[in-house]
Structures are given as structure tokens and as C-alpha cells.
């Protein structure tokens, strides 16, 4: 049991969520002499999968890594993104637009791996896996009690909710949860993964591919992955207007606060849209769409297995401060 006096003299910060934000917070706290415990629901570190995505760190992101002493390790692991490539879906012609400030490309699992390797070497950081935060209770002025999903309880002086937009930390306090509403955008994505990078593609940029027909109402973002085995992460960005021409792409129903955590990673993703039947499946429809509207890109891919990896995301949601 931690006494009030101990909490004041030696704060212990519990961080809910072992993603990039949570791990970076723990490293920065260690640098100012503050002890922290990072609680991560996943029993094992994430690996690249159909639910993964790529990201590019810009000037501010790299500055944060530099402040935490992680930038050198991140540069060694990531890929410098110096260009935006606009790819003509019909001809395959490419127009390169240089970025004013080069970014640093990662997959989310790779960035977590880099930060975790730094965090576990920090004297004042403890990482606990296998049970996420269930709820937080304010015991008194100086102490919070954090109950984990396995029933165990940890006392802390402070709690950081780095557990995402469906945060159990935020929902534990009415004064916090009432400040936000969940907004849903009329857009969603289809995620696909190619195991190799096409021969004509370069790894120093992100590719934007628009369909041949103006009425298709979607576009493709293709990002080379920096892992040793590399590959190409492909995001098909769709809008509700997209469904007028391609109703078979309908995303799963929007999620309500309180439902998160009941469906595993499918909380955010759907394996297949529910509108498809046995004769008309997602991969076949996507293959036909790429052949018709993205012929040059389809020919560059040269691998129909990419369509077997397709997953349709729910509509985009975000937190709006009231």
C-alpha cells in the first residue's frame, strides 16, 4: 500500500496503453526521474497483419523522438519519406513532388518495437502485458486505484490514458467523458497488403493513385513498409458516395461507446462486409475494380493474393471536444 506522503514525494504514474503515445510518455517521465508503469492489453507485441497500418512522422514527430532520445534508433529502423508520388492509374506515369521536410516512415508495430526497446532499458519504467485497464477510481486526494481486466489493482499518484479514443481511463471520470463526443465521418477504408514492393516503385515516398473514372469517388494510398521483409501497405480511401457505385463495399455498422473491447480487433475492422454472398465475394469484386479503374497499378502489382488480404474498416470516428 502506498501512503499519501509517499505519493507526494515519489509519484508513480500508471500509463494505460503500450502504443507509441504510452511508451513515449514513459520514456520522457524516466528522463525527469519519475517512475511509471505501462499497462498493455496485448500479451505479445504487435506484428504486421491485416489490422496494421503505416504512418509518417513529420517535423514535430521527429522532434518528440529526439527529446526522448529515440530518434537515432527510429532513423535506423524507419524509411525516409522524401516524396509524394502521384501515379497515373491508366498509364503508370509518375509525378514526384518533393516534400519540404522529409518524413520518417513506419508501420505502427515497428514504431512500437523501437520505443519498447528504449523503454525496457529505462530504470524507472515497468511494462506489464496481458491485461488492459478496466477502470480507475479516485481513492483520495493523492491516490488513484486502477483496476485491470484480470481483477488486479494498482495504486498510482497519476494516470495517463493512452488507451485510444475508446479510453477506459476517460470513461472512468464523468468530468472527462462529458467533455467529448464521438463523431462519425462519412468515410471509411479498405486495407490490403502486398508482400513485395513492385519493381517500378521506390521506397522513399508515398504513392497516391486515383481511379480512371471521376465518378468512382475513392483513391489509393500505397506506402512501402520499412520492415526487413518489406512489402506495400495499400489503403483504399472511400466515402459514402463510393457506395452508390460499389454497394458491396459497405462498411460494418458504427460502434457505440461501451461496446469497444467485446469484438477483439474487429471492433475497428470487419473481416468481410455483410452484404456479400457466397457467389460475390470481396476479393473478386476488388480484383475486377482494379482491372477496370486502376489497370496500370493492377499490372504493377502482379499478385492477386493482395485481394485475399482485404479488410473493410468501420467509418472513421474521432473525438470532438465539447
Amino acid at each position: 500500500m502506498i501512503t499519501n506522503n509517499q505519493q507526494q514525494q515519489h509519484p508513480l504514474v500508471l500509463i494505460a496503453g503500450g502504443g507509441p503515445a504510452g511508451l513515449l510518455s514513459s520514456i520522457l517521465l524516466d528522463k525527469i526521474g519519475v517512475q511509471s508503469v505501462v499497462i498493455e492489453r496485448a500479451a505479445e507485441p504487435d506484428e504486421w497483419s491485416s489490422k496494421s497500418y503505416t504512418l509518417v512522422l513529420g517535423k514535430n514527430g521527429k522532434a518528440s523522438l529526439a527529446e526522448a532520445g529515440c530518434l537515432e534508433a527510429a532513423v535506423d529502423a524507419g524509411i525516409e519519406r522524401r516524396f509524394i508520388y502521384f501515379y497515373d492509374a491508366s498509364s503508370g506515369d509518375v509525378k514526384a513532388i518533393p516534400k519540404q521536410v522529409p518524413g520518417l516512415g513506419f508501420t505502427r508495430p515497428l514504431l512500437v518495437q523501437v520505443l519498447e526497446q528504449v523503454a525496457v532499458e529505462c530504470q524507472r519504467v515497468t511494462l506489464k502485458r496481458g491485461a488492459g485497464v478496466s477502470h480507475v477510481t479516485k481513492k483520495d486526494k493523492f491516490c488513484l486505484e486502477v483496476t485491470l481486466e484480470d481483477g488486479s489493482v494498482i495504486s498510482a499518484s497519476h494516470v495517463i490514458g493512452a488507451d485510444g479514443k475508446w479510453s477506459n481511463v476517460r470513461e472512468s471520470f464523468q468530468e472527462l467523458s462529458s467533455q467529448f463526443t464521438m463523431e462519425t465521418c462519412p468515410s471509411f477504408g479498405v486495407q490490403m497488403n502486398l508482400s513485395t514492393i513492385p519493381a517500378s516503385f521506390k521506397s522513399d515516398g508515398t504513392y497516391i493513385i486515383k481511379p480512371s473514372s471521376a465518378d468512382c469517388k475513392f483513391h489509393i494510398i500505397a506506402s512501402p513498409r520499412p520492415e526487413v521483409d518489406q512489402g506495400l501497405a495499400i489503403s483504399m480511401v472511400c466515402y459514402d458516395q463510393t457506395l452508390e457505385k460499389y454497394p458491396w463495399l459497405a462498411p460494418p455498422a458504427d460502434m457505440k461507446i461501451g461496446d469497444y473491447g467485446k469484438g477483439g480487433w474487429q471492433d475497428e475492422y470487419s473481416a468481410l462486409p455483410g452484404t456479400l454472398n457466397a457467389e460475390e465475394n470481396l476479393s473478386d469484386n476488388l480484383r475486377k475494380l482494379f482491372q477496370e479503374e486502376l489497370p496500370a497499378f493492377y499490372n504493377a502489382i502482379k499478385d492477386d493474393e493482395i485481394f485475399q488480404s482485404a479488410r473493410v474498416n468501420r467509418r472513421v470516428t474521432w473525438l470532438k471536444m465539447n
Side-chain angles (χ1 to χ4, degrees):
M1 178 65 67
I2 301 176
T3 66
N4 290 347
N5 186 55
Q6 288 175 317
Q7 292 282 21
Q8 295 179 66
Q9 295 182 2
H10 305 287
L12 172 63
V13 180
L14 185 140
I15 302 172
L23 290 170
L24 187 61
S25 297
S26 72
I27 296 167
L28 291 169
L29 287 170
D30 178 78
K31 286 189 169 295
I32 60 173
V34 176
Q35 184 179 359
S36 66
V37 179
V38 180
I39 303 297
E40 170 54 40
R41 171 183 288 166
E44 298 294 335
D46 281 348
E47 296 181 356
W48 178 261
S49 70
S50 57
K51 68 181 177 126
S52 304
Y53 56 86
T54 58
L55 52 88
V56 178
L57 298 180
K59 180 180 178 181
N60 292 339
K62 291 191 290 185
S64 297
L65 292 181
E67 185 176 352
C70 306
L71 184 57
E72 184 177 349
V75 169
D76 289 342
I79 295 180
E80 189 176 51
R81 294 278 202 260
R82 297 188 296 116
F83 295 94
I84 298 293
Y85 292 109
F86 290 91
Y87 186 97
D88 190 298
S90 297
S91 67
D93 293 338
V94 178
K95 181 179 181 181
I97 307 295
K99 303 181 71 171
Q100 290 185 343
V101 179
L104 195 57
F106 287 95
T107 61
R108 185 183 185 280
L110 182 59
L111 180 57
V112 168
Q113 178 184 323
V114 169
L115 293 173
E116 188 170 317
Q117 288 173 348
V118 176
V120 296
E121 295 298 325
C122 293
Q123 181 180 357
R124 287 170 286 270
V125 175
T126 302
L127 175 62
K128 293 182 178 293
R129 287 188 170 277
V133 170
S134 174
H135 61 273
V136 183
T137 304
K138 190 173 182 179
K139 183 180 178 183
D140 55 43
K141 183 178 180 180
F142 303 102
C143 183
L144 297 164
E145 286 194 343
V146 183
T147 302
L148 306 188
E149 292 169 340
D150 62 3
S152 60
V153 178
I154 300 176
S155 296
S157 60
H158 302 77
V159 175
I160 294 176
D163 48 346
K165 61 188 174 186
W166 305 100
S167 172
N168 285 338
V169 172
R170 185 181 66 251
E171 290 301 307
S172 296
F173 299 95
Q174 177 62 30
E175 61 269 31
L176 292 179
S177 61
S178 62
Q179 295 180 28
F180 299 90
T181 55
M182 191 72 69
E183 297 290 318
T184 301
C185 299
S187 61
F188 61 96
V190 181
Q191 186 74 28
M192 291 165 275
N193 296 305
L194 186 64
S195 59
T196 59
I197 298 177
S200 60
F201 277 50
K202 299 179 179 179
S203 62
D204 62 351
T206 301
Y207 285 78
I208 308 297
I209 304 125
K210 293 186 177 181
S212 304
S213 302
D215 63 343
C216 286
K217 306 301 181 185
F218 72 84
H219 63 275
I220 300 289
I221 301 175
S223 303
R225 288 164 33 206
E227 286 94 345
V228 175
D229 57 348
Q230 294 194 319
L232 194 69
I234 298 174
S235 297
M236 181 178 174
V237 181
C238 304
Y239 307 90
D240 282 354
Q241 291 172 299
T242 312
L243 302 178
E244 296 175 8
K245 188 170 184 177
Y246 306 110
W248 46 269
L249 278 173
D254 300 336
M255 190 186 307
K256 306 300 181 183
I257 292 178
D259 291 339
Y260 183 77
K262 297 178 181 178
W265 66 267
Q266 289 187 0
D267 284 339
E268 293 290 340
Y269 302 84
S270 169
L272 291 172
T275 56
L276 300 183
N277 55 43
E279 290 76 34
E280 187 180 42
N281 60 65
L282 178 62
S283 61
D284 285 346
N285 277 285
L286 282 171
R287 184 184 300 106
K288 293 174 185 176
L289 186 153
F290 273 52
Q291 289 172 335
E292 295 171 1
E293 299 295 344
L294 309 161
F297 185 51
Y298 177 79
N299 290 331
I301 292 173
K302 298 178 180 177
D303 186 355
D304 283 351
E305 288 188 8
I306 182 177
F307 305 112
Q308 299 290 339
S309 72
R311 297 293 182 267
V312 180
N313 300 11
R314 297 180 188 271
R315 286 180 175 84
V316 176
T317 53
W318 58 284
L319 286 173
K320 178 182 179 181
M321 180 171 282
N322 299 326

